[in-house]
Amino acid sequence: MHAQTALINSQGLFNVHTAYYASPAPRGTIILVNGSLATTASFAQTLRFLQPQFNVVLFDPAYAGQSKAHNHHECPMTKEQETRLLLDLIDHFKADHLLSFSWGGASAMLALAQNPPNIRRAVVMGFSPVINPAMRDYLETGLERLSRCDRRGVAELINSTIGKHLPSLFKRFNFRHICSLDDHEYLQMAFHVRQVLSQDSHCYLQDAECIDVPVLFVNGEWDEYTSADDARQFSQLIDQCEFARIAQAGHFLDAENKYAWSQTRDAVMDFLVPVERPVVNYRHQQFTQLLLGGEPEMRMELQAVN
């Protein structure tokens, strides 16, 4: 698949590398939001099932991937700046759908709470509003290693916790990628983790009540860090939300195995492209006689009501 790439400025501060994949028969445009320490490459499996029906926008955060060469990294980006960046990209590409993964759910939820006028539906994958004990332990250990820029330690932590259900090939790729990052990328993530650990364990619920579009939350059956049960707490505040639990999958969902990929594809596409079912119109009922006599039969003419 060929992508059109561009460098887009946000807030007069950040230059962001974007990749636009045009669909042959688009039903809309969807923007994808990376997880922590990830680049656009992390959405390779998701792109496979989205691009046939949607124009897809990928981007690297200002501090990562192909964006980082175009930015200064004197201080970490705040969550407010990341949210503003996402809103700017939504506006630039006229995106009407959004999909986030893992840590990308934080800026995605904050952006959705500001009700961007173009967005009609959103999918939030591998995210929950709760910092549960497993996640807190992961974050506290990660913060200590990130602050020291312990490349090997961070890579081993990810592969043994949230990434433990990944295939061995993906784990090796993760390990090489994480060990190759620059110091400012580790410090950026440490900055965000420190903020989260200083807040209430339900810190992502506070803005959710402002979201006014349908949202699908997708979580893995085996994910103890952002669990499907924890994600359901969003139903307390978001009027239009749905939930999908992917069987035999952990945190990384569609990247973990073929069965998880097909389940994730079906859940996401059924939500983004809902099937239009005909509605029975009972006004058009008529009784007819069987041609050669006998009892009358009832024939109902079905009519789709638009």
Side-chain angles (χ1 to χ4, degrees), residues 10-154:
S10 172
Q11 305 159 72
L13 297 171
F14 308 109
N15 296 304
V16 183
H17 183 273
T18 63
Y20 177 88
Y21 292 85
S23 170
R27 293 175 176 267
T29 299
I30 186 166
I31 187 166
L32 310 191
V33 190
N34 299 334
S36 64
L37 302 179
T39 67
T40 56
S42 65
F43 277 124
Q45 300 301 315
T46 313
L47 184 63
R48 283 174 54 202
F49 63 74
L50 286 175
Q51 196 263 345
Q53 297 198 57
F54 287 90
N55 301 320
V56 181
V57 179
L58 304 179
F59 69 96
D60 284 330
Y63 50 81
Q66 296 184 72
S67 295
K68 63 183 177 182
H70 305 283
N71 294 278
H72 302 293
H73 308 289
E74 293 150 356
C75 57
M77 287 183 71
T78 66
K79 63 180 180 181
E80 291 78 16
Q81 289 172 326
E82 289 201 7
T83 301
R84 183 68 258 167
L85 187 154
L86 177 55
L87 290 167
D88 286 347
L89 292 178
I90 289 170
D91 182 62
H92 178 88
F93 288 99
K94 302 296 183 249
D96 49 10
H97 295 76
L98 179 152
L99 182 147
S100 68
F101 174 70
S102 192
W103 197 268
S107 58
M109 295 293 290
L110 289 171
L112 291 171
Q114 296 191 37
N115 306 127
N118 292 333
I119 295 294
R120 294 189 286 122
R121 284 177 176 260
V123 178
V124 177
M125 297 169 54
F127 188 75
S128 90
V130 177
I131 308 301
N132 64 23
M135 176 59 83
R136 182 168 294 278
D137 182 65
Y138 166 69
L139 292 176
E140 288 175 347
T141 304
L143 178 59
E144 187 270 328
R145 298 182 187 187
L146 288 164
S147 300
R148 292 191 287 109
C149 297
D150 178 2
R151 288 164 169 74
R152 187 180 186 89
V154 173

Side-chain angles (χ1 to χ4, degrees), residues 260-280:
W261 181 85
S262 62
Q263 288 180 82
T264 304
R265 174 201 61 196
D266 293 347
V268 171
M269 296 309 297
D270 286 351
F271 175 77
L272 294 178
V273 189
V275 176
E276 295 183 3
R277 305 184 187 280
V279 178
V280 177

